[in-house]
Amino acid sequence: MSEDFDLIVVGGGSGGLAGAFRAAEHGARVALLEPGALGGTCVNVGCVPKKAMWLAADVGHKLQLAQTLGFDVEPAPLDWPTFIAHRQRYIGNIHESYRKRLDAAGIALLPTHARFVDAHTIECEDGLRLGAPQILVATGGHAVRPDVPGAELGGDSDDFFDWTSAPGRVAIVGGGYIAVELAGVLQALGSRVEVFARGPRLLEGFDLDLTDQLTEDYRQAGVHFHFGHRLEAVQSAEGGLRLHAADHTVSEVFDALLFATGRRANTASLGLEGTGIATDARGHIIVDALHATNVAGVHAVGDVTTNLALTPVAIAAARRLMARLFGGRVDNTLDQDDIPTVLFSHPPLATVGLTEGRARAQFGDGVHVYRSGFRPMLNALADVPQRSLFKLVCVGDERRVVGIHLLGEAADEILQGFAVALKRGITLQDLHDTVAIHPTSAEEIVLMR
Ligand SMILES: Cc1cc2nc3c(=O)[nH]c(=O)nc-3n(C[C@H](O)[C@H](O)[C@H](O)COP(=O)(O)OP(=O)(O)OC[C@H]3O[C@@H](n4cnc5c(N)ncnc54)[C@H](O)[C@@H]3O)c2cc1C
């Protein structure tokens, strides 16, 4: 049994890599165990390839606008293999950069699946056993499909990234952010998309006004929605497959089916049984505010915990944890309030803080809401009807800004700076005291009254 390390990191995704690098910066001797591609979900089958596909769809949309505005261009379908070659080259460069940085930092990379033998011993696939005073579990999660007959006929978001063309007719099962993002990309790249959601609306937990408008935008773009849909079975049919629902309705025939029906923590094959490390009913490792499990010396970050499943959350948690363990910064904890996030829909939806609904539940009549609906300049020039909707949720007489919700062109890039401001506790008056940048969409935020 090797005892050469101060820290063993299990999983080389967003959280694991961030933790390994930061611990090494603080002088720790680190082993990183990762059987798959470096970068985990985000780099290989999540944020990065997803954003690449979103950008391709966006370029396609801009080509249409360009033609309307007088450019001598023909909107043409995307040649997926060409685009995918660019996408994968970009991802390959990220892998290469990680490899160099791991070498430079002196981190031992072991390309192996890892499992606990006991709470302080990790076993590699070849039988090698490692021990260290500190262990970080960052094994992420995986997509799950509904347990219905024929589910194997569909794919999940991982499979989507293997596609080399847009299917003619696609069914997407799910109503969360991955379903909405994939629907937007596929529709923009030429598929006929139908979304089958169990709930009465899309994007539970996002602001209602914005999700209503986004749903309408998608409908206008040609996406069909089936809400309250209870999938009972998927069956092969001539030319494709059909979805059967609990109310006996049967869908039309689709060429392809994607499930975006949730994700589960990667703990099943981690050997936690003999360790005493506590998990919840869905298999997430339970951690406290310091990302410590109930077993001393064992920590967890990222999607394997119940923290918000976002790359920057996993990274921020891992860096702070390492600052505490190896950098002497005992008070360096992650504040999980007011985490901004962007849904890469078409147009994008960006959000930070409380939705109007949550604010009203918390502050009652003390809530003041400001909205701005407008057509971004490019859409107005090209006479495209799609409008943006920006919304501020404020509380109290001082109108403290507790929520910023943006749907529209460039919302993804606008929000970050305003998220800083919200976190600093700004009021509506602070926004009004800031001179607008004209002509932009962002100026609407400081002009709302
Ligand atoms: C389609 C999609 C789109 C997304 N888009 C965004 C986005 O736009 N923005 C955003 O912030 N987040 C996005 N996310 C979420 C983001 O990818 C995750 O929150 C993030 O990757 C979590 O990081 P992690 O380190 O917890 O896990 P992961 O990145 O999943 O890494 C876990 C790693 O652990 C390894 N592993 C698992 N078990 C073991 C084991 N037993 N031994 C050793 N290694 C193991 C895995 O191989 C994997 O590499 C998206 C996710 C998906 C699925």
Side-chain angles (χ1 to χ4, degrees), residues 28-373:
R29 295 163 306 163
V30 182
L32 174 67
L33 281 55
E34 169 56 65
L38 286 172
T41 303
C42 177
V43 170
N44 300 290
V45 286
C47 336
V48 174
K50 183 271 304 283
K51 179 80 186 278
M53 298 312 291
W54 182 87
L55 286 167
D58 196 46
V59 170
H61 177 61
K62 296 260 161 51
L63 274 177
Q64 286 171 6
L65 291 183
Q67 189 190 41
T68 307
L69 290 170
F71 283 88
D72 185 14
V73 286
E74 283 293 319
L78 176 71
D79 178 49
W80 281 49
T82 303
F83 184 78
I84 288 168
H86 288 290
R87 187 186 82 193
Q88 296 310 115
R89 179 179 42 77
Y90 181 82
I91 290 173
N93 289 342
I94 298 177
H95 294 155
E96 193 45 38
S97 145
Y98 280 141
R99 250 177 252 116
K100 282 190 183 141
R101 286 178 59 201
L102 287 170
D103 277 353
I107 296 168
L109 172 63
L110 284 76
T112 179
H113 181 276
R115 60 189 306 282
F116 282 87
V117 179
D118 60 50
H120 302 286
T121 313
I122 299 282
E123 189 175 66
C124 304
E125 284 165 71
D126 63 2
L128 176 70
R129 291 189 172 192
L130 304 175
Q134 304 292 346
I135 295 175
L136 172 62
V137 182
T139 49
H142 61 276
V144 287
R145 298 166 188 215
D147 185 16
V148 297
E152 70 285 355
L153 295 172
D156 56 34
S157 57
D158 290 6
D159 300 304
F160 167 74
F161 295 116
D162 289 334
W163 288 5
T164 53
S165 63
R169 297 157 300 178
V170 191
I172 297 178
V173 176
Y177 86 95
I178 293 178
V180 172
E181 291 183 336
L182 294 181
V185 162
L186 282 163
Q187 192 283 327
L189 294 180
S191 295
R192 185 190 138 78
V193 180
E194 297 198 21
V195 175
F196 297 81
R198 224 150 62 127
R201 53 174 287 229
L202 296 176
L203 299 169
E204 202 53 55
F206 284 75
D207 193 86
L208 204 52
D209 283 342
L210 274 73
T211 52
D212 281 352
Q213 173 151 345
L214 181 64
T215 308
E216 199 41 45
D217 286 345
Y218 268 39
R219 273 205 186 100
Q220 302 253 328
V223 177
H224 291 250
F225 292 101
H226 306 267
F227 291 111
H229 186 269
R230 303 255 149 194
L231 182 69
E232 268 215 339
V234 183
Q235 274 185 2
S236 305
E238 198 172 327
L241 50 85
R242 290 182 195 274
L243 273 54
H244 294 250
D247 63 4
H248 305 298
T249 54
V250 181
S251 75
E252 62 172 277
V253 176
F254 293 99
D255 302 302
L257 163 65
L258 282 176
F259 289 109
T261 41
R263 295 179 65 79
R264 223 166 235 275
N266 286 333
T267 46
S269 60
L270 206 48
L272 294 182
E273 314 76 61
T275 63
I277 297 169
T279 55
D280 68 13
R282 290 180 51 81
H284 294 110
I285 294 180
I286 298 170
V287 289
D288 63 15
L290 300 178
H291 288 91
T293 68
N294 58 320
V295 171
V298 181
H299 296 80
V301 297
D303 291 8
V304 75
T305 70
T306 54
N307 285 180
L308 267 184
L310 291 169
T311 274
V313 175
I315 292 174
R319 287 181 178 163
R320 284 161 176 75
L321 173 64
M322 296 311 153
R324 291 195 301 275
L325 293 180
F326 301 109
R329 296 273 313 276
V330 285
D331 56 345
N332 198 356
T333 54
L334 175 63
D335 176 359
Q336 310 236 16
D337 288 338
D338 299 327
I339 291 172
T341 185
V342 165
L343 175 83
F344 287 95
S345 46
H346 298 267
L349 190 162
T351 181
V352 63
L354 299 180
T355 60
E356 181 182 348
R358 287 220 189 94
R360 289 206 186 282
Q362 203 173 324
F363 297 101
D365 290 344
V367 175
H368 308 271
V369 174
Y370 304 85
R371 291 182 183 76
S372 172

